[in-house]
Amino acid sequence: MSEKEPIRVIAVDDHEVVRGGIRYALLAYDDVELVAETDDGEQAIRLCQQVQPDVVLMDLMMPGMHGVETTRVLREQYPNVQILVLSSFLDMDLVRRAMQAGATGYLLKGVSNEELVEAIRAAKDGRPVMAKEAMAALVQAASPSSRLGDDLSEREREVLALLAQGLSNKAIAERLFLSVATVKYHVRLLLSKLGARSRAEAVALAWQHNLIEKGETEPVPDHSGG
């Protein structure tokens, strides 16, 4: 038998009720497993070394080490671990800082169990996931005079538009008739040109600065890996 290993998740939140809710929610899904939980950012860093998760559900407003700083350290020390913010706060600067720190996505507490699990699955593949309200907060911060993205090539804009649809590297490669390695190369280039530390931040900047058309950002099902 070669059953796929479940996605390993750590929950980081200073409220026991929230962690309990996550624990209960994930029990209903065979492909997601809560392997550890903590109320402390520093402990989260230690847990990542011990249990090697795929995805960390990260609260932001915690006593001690702030969630943004924890996210930054985790992304530096464990670049293969994806950080999915789960917060009650929609402060524009907080959303921006979390994405700049390397978070893969930003969800609001109160999201449905199914939406949470779908977001975890997407984060595992490195696909950006943003609550509509969080995206609106970023768009609100748009600067009319900004010329960010003027140096993007046509191909990089195509890749960026498909990233915004939530497609994986493999799916983008199939859509554009490119190799996965070539897609990864374009992703690295566009991240560098946009000054983004993650795919999710690149997509947020693309919406914020109108780098992609609305019609290009309609989400599409993506069942491929890679």
Side-chain angles (χ1 to χ4, degrees), residues 11 13 18 21-22 30 34 47 49 58 76 86 88 90 107 136-137 144 147 150 173 178 182 193 209 214 225:
D13 197 293
V18 174
I22 293 171
D30 293 334
L34 185 67
L47 282 173
Q49 182 177 16
M58 180 70 68
E76 289 174 354
L86 191 60
S88 303
L90 256 182
L107 295 180
R147 301 297 297 173
D150 278 357
L178 301 172
T182 299
K193 290 180 179 180
H209 295 278
K214 283 187 177 180

Side-chain angles (χ1 to χ4, degrees), residues 23-169:
R23 193 185 314 130
Y24 177 78
L26 299 190
L27 284 175
Y29 299 87
D30 293 334
D31 63 330
V32 181
E33 178 184 8
L34 185 67
V35 295
E37 57 183 83
T38 181
D39 60 356
D40 176 79
E42 292 183 356
Q43 176 65 9
I45 296 169
R46 291 191 289 269
L47 282 173
C48 274
Q49 182 177 16
Q50 295 169 13
V51 305
Q52 299 180 350
D54 299 303
V55 177
V56 174
L57 297 178
M58 180 70 68
D59 187 24
L60 294 181
M61 307 302 286
M62 298 183 292
M65 194 172 192
H66 193 278
V68 170
E69 181 59 25
T70 306
T71 296
R72 182 175 292 107
V73 172
L74 286 178
R75 290 295 289 163
E76 289 174 354
Q77 295 187 9
Y78 308 100
N80 291 327
V81 175
Q82 304 295 338
I83 314 297
L84 186 57
V85 172
L86 191 60
S87 177
S88 303
F89 296 90
L90 256 182
D91 178 76
M92 184 173 59
D93 184 60
L94 192 59
V95 176
R96 180 183 57 79
R97 287 167 54 208
M99 303 313 294
Q100 288 179 340
T104 305
Y106 198 110
L107 295 180
L108 295 178
K109 290 177 181 176
V111 66
S112 72
N113 293 351
E114 184 60 33
E115 288 172 323
L116 175 61
V117 171
E118 283 296 332
I120 290 172
R121 291 167 180 154
K124 166 66 168 59
D125 294 334
R127 291 186 278 128
V129 182
M130 294 288 288
K132 291 180 180 178
E133 298 88 346
M135 184 60 65
L138 288 174
V139 170
Q140 189 178 359
S143 169
S145 61
S146 175
R147 301 297 297 173
L148 184 73
D150 278 357
D151 58 344
L152 290 177
S153 69
E154 188 64 30
R155 179 64 81 189
E156 287 159 0
R157 287 177 181 271
E158 289 176 340
V159 171
L160 183 58
L162 294 176
L163 284 180
Q165 293 183 24
L167 268 64
S168 64
N169 287 338

Side-chain angles (χ1 to χ4, degrees), residues 164-167 207 214-222:
Q165 293 183 24
L167 268 64
W207 271 311
K214 283 187 177 180
E216 296 178 296
T217 62
E218 292 299 320
V220 299
D222 176 25

Side-chain angles (χ1 to χ4, degrees), residues 155 158-159 169-170 172-183 186:
R155 179 64 81 189
E158 289 176 340
V159 171
N169 287 338
K170 181 180 178 182
I172 293 173
E174 292 174 351
R175 182 73 65 87
L176 298 179
F177 303 102
L178 301 172
S179 70
V180 173
T182 299
V183 171
H186 286 304

